[in-house]
Every structure is written in structure tokens, then in C-alpha cells.
Amino acid sequence: MTAASSPVTTQWIQIAAHDGGRYEGYLCLPPAGKGPGLVLFQEIFGINRHIRSVAEQYALDGFVVLAPDVFWRQAP
């Protein structure tokens, strides 16, 4: 979760891959708890602080944002 002062709800979720594997994604919900959705693709550096803050900013703008760990098969 984000700091208590933030109206955005954040959480790490588990996502099932088509071949039975599982990977994480960073999910951000806007203050309303729902809205149009965005998939935010990470840079080579993973779902780092920068990507999380971008996701949280879009959530503040009213979007549900998911940043999946697209490199989960290579390295954490």
C-alpha cells in the first residue's frame, strides 16, 4: 500500500501465465476504486520506484494501472 496520505490504493498481485508460471504485477487503483485501464510497460530496470510512481500518478488521474513484470522469466 502507499502512504496513508495517498488516495491511491496500490498492491502487488500474482498473475498466471499461459504455461502455468506466475509473475508479479504492480496494481494501482484510483481514488474512486475503478476507472479506465492502462497497462504500463516497464523499462529494462524492472518495476522500480520510477515505474511505480508513474503508475501512481496515472491512478491519481483516474486510471486503473497495471505494471506487469514483463522480464520475470529472465531475472527478478
Side-chain angles (χ1 to χ4, degrees):
M1 294 291 226
T2 56
S5 63
S6 176
V8 171
T9 302
T10 65
Q11 62 181 315
W12 288 95
I13 63 168
Q14 291 288 313
I15 303 167
H18 67 88
D19 63 357
R22 297 188 71 73
Y23 59 100
E24 291 189 320
Y26 188 67
L27 179 66
C28 297
L29 299 176
K34 62 181 181 177
L38 292 177
V39 177
L40 178 63
F41 288 98
Q42 70 201 42
E43 306 159 316
I44 192 70
F45 307 112
I47 305 171
N48 58 18
R49 187 169 187 59
H50 171 70
I51 294 299
R52 292 191 307 270
S53 69
V54 170
E56 292 165 15
Q57 183 59 54
Y58 277 118
L60 281 172
D61 292 335
F63 292 93
V64 173
V65 184
L66 175 63
D69 180 5
V70 297
F71 298 121
W72 67 282
R73 291 187 193 272
Q74 282 75 33

